[in-house]
Amino acid sequence: MNPKEYHFKLPRTKTPKNITIPEVWYPGVQQMWEKSTSKRIYNPIFGIKAVVIHATAGHSSDGAMSVMRNGRASWHWLVPDENEEAHENLVWACAPETLTAWHVRNSISHPDVNQGKNKTNHWSLGIEIVNSQVQDPFSDWQVKITADIVKYCWAKYPNLEHVLSHAMLDPSRRTDPGILFPWEEFKAQVLDSNFEDMLVFQDDVEAKSKEISELTFEDLHFTDLCS
Ligand SMILES: [Zn+2]
């Protein structure tokens, strides 16, 4: 499959709201935001329309982050490579979702995506996967966790519709995430709507809401709150 054709749409089905992904801030990344992100020109929840999938064309998370440190580009999540300690454990959160990261050129657009609007960074989230793109297969975990990040976004952003490659948006300059990225498998994992292993504290939430529903009117008086 040609990476320039990597694109699918998310149906507007009901998704669970209490889900999470194993994300941790990349060490020291907060200091990079001032020169590598900007304020979104759209509402940071209702204005999100797309998730763009990238591959770094490099060999390490640290290598990718040096680009962000220099303020040349940025992204919301970085998926570590299979030879890194974080692999199979966590993804690096790199920019706050509420801010615009710089993962796509501002001038480009695609007629099939968000009515051909440009300034994609302002209405999208970007995921970078560490992969050299030279005879470097993606690990099963990299594919799975990338699908999980997309599911997390799907559950969180009510107007999120498009999942696509950087190559589709910028075909004259980019090929990422590349021909070795198993797009059909990835798409199937996202659309299977199985959020089971992403649910957080499900039992706690259920127990707590049962407890609250059993409270009497007197219990709910908060006259004692400040005593
Ligand atoms: Zn890219």
Side-chain angles (χ1 to χ4, degrees):
M1 197 179 169
N2 184 339
K4 299 179 190 353
E5 290 162 12
Y6 292 175
H7 177 218
F8 63 89
K9 289 188 179 186
L10 297 168
R12 293 277 163 84
T13 47
K14 210 168 179 302
T15 49
K17 298 304 168 204
N18 54 326
I19 64 168
T20 191
I21 46 172
E23 60 176 342
V24 172
W25 289 120
Y26 182 83
V29 78
Q30 291 87 346
Q31 276 78 54
M32 304 179 196
W33 295 342
E34 194 168 0
K35 61 175 189 179
S36 65
T37 63
S38 37
K39 184 176 177 338
R40 288 192 186 275
I41 59 174
Y42 299 107
N43 182 295
I45 295 291
F46 301 105
I48 300 296
K49 304 290 176 65
V51 178
V52 183
I53 310 298
H54 301 260
T56 59
H59 296 275
S60 70
S61 295
D62 292 346
M65 292 312 292
S66 67
V67 175
M68 190 162 157
R69 186 173 289 110
N70 293 329
R72 286 185 283 136
S74 57
W75 39 84
H76 296 93
W77 294 279
L78 182 66
V79 175
D81 210 349
E82 59 266 22
N83 59 357
E84 299 186 275
E85 208 175 310
H87 185 262
E88 292 194 349
N89 289 310
L90 57 87
V91 294
W92 297 117
C94 299
E97 295 159 47
T98 48
L99 294 177
T100 292
W102 307 337
H103 51 106
V104 176
R105 279 193 294 154
N106 261 330
S107 57
I108 57 159
S109 63
H110 192 288
D112 296 343
V113 184
N114 199 19
Q115 289 125 27
K117 285 204 178 82
N118 63 7
K119 296 189 173 150
T120 307
N121 292 326
H122 286 280
W123 44 266
S124 71
L125 293 152
I127 306 173
E128 284 280 357
I129 309 168
V130 179
N131 182 278
S132 72
Q133 288 192 72
V134 184
Q135 295 175 327
D136 180 8
F138 290 80
S139 74
D140 291 345
W141 180 82
Q142 285 182 308
V143 177
K144 195 242 179 227
I145 208 71
T146 304
D148 284 356
I149 299 171
V150 173
K151 285 172 163 174
Y152 162 82
C153 297
W154 185 13
K156 184 167 177 179
Y157 297 99
N159 298 319
L160 176 60
E161 187 178 14
H162 300 277
V163 182
L164 73 161
S165 64
H166 193 187
M168 181 181 174
L169 280 169
D170 201 354
S172 66
R173 305 204 336 176
R174 297 289 184 230
T175 57
D176 63 309
I179 48 168
L180 291 182
F181 187 76
W183 188 260
E184 288 299 331
E185 169 60 24
F186 163 71
K187 175 182 168 182
Q189 287 190 29
V190 173
L191 296 178
D192 71 4
S193 299
N194 179 6
F195 293 86
E196 272 306 293
D197 63 341
M198 302 174 70
L199 292 170
V200 273
F201 314 126
Q202 184 63 17
D203 296 345
D204 290 357
V205 171
E206 276 165 18
K208 187 55 89 183
S209 50
K210 187 162 179 285
E211 219 174 88
I212 291 169
S213 70
E214 283 166 359
L215 292 176
T216 64
F217 181 74
E218 278 69 33
D219 294 328
L220 290 168
H221 263 269
F222 21 85
T223 45
D224 295 343
L225 207 61
C226 301
S227 63

